[in-house]
Amino acid sequence: MHLAPKSILADIKKDLESYVGEKIRLKANRGRKKILEREGVLESTYPNIFIIKLDEADNGERRVSYSYADLLTEAVELVICSSGGQETKIEAHSR
């Protein structure tokens, strides 16, 4: 049994909402064998996108946005780094 993609994306959004303000590790496929790996904070979630505030030593803060579909297609991987040292990978489950 398959869920409609809309409900899968809603589940991803709901999962992410509980981690707003948490430190995360981002790994994004930028195409042509370029991978962006950064740490930052999950700043906010919106109906179709989420915003990450990156920590960049050379030029201060930078914000990037991704869609929930990016997590579903695995173009973006997020790992939540909680204060106790425990890591939680956000995954799109086709429940």
Side-chain angles (χ1 to χ4, degrees):
M1 182 177 126
H2 294 303
L3 290 176
K6 202 172 205 173
S7 66
I8 293 171
L9 295 177
D11 287 346
I12 294 169
K13 179 182 184 293
K14 192 171 71 175
D15 287 349
L16 271 185
E17 283 175 345
S18 63
Y19 295 111
V20 169
E22 296 281 336
K23 184 174 182 168
I24 60 160
R25 198 167 58 241
L26 164 75
K27 185 176 181 182
N29 183 347
R30 307 282 278 189
R32 299 232 176 178
K33 299 181 183 177
K34 287 188 259 181
I35 305 285
L36 171 74
E37 291 190 58
R38 296 280 191 279
E39 288 193 356
V41 174
L42 180 59
E43 191 172 68
S44 52
T45 60
Y46 293 98
N48 298 308
I49 63 168
F50 57 95
I51 309 287
I52 299 171
K53 184 168 62 172
L54 299 177
D55 306 326
E56 296 199 342
D58 46 342
N59 56 355
E61 294 178 350
R62 182 173 140 211
R63 287 174 174 79
V64 291
S65 64
Y66 294 99
S67 71
Y68 302 109
D70 291 331
L71 287 170
L72 185 62
T73 61
E74 298 181 356
V76 173
E77 293 178 24
L78 294 181
V79 177
I80 309 297
C81 307
S82 54
S83 55
Q86 185 178 350
E87 295 188 345
T88 306
K89 184 174 181 183
I90 299 293
E91 294 181 302
H93 302 288
S94 51
R95 299 168 193 178

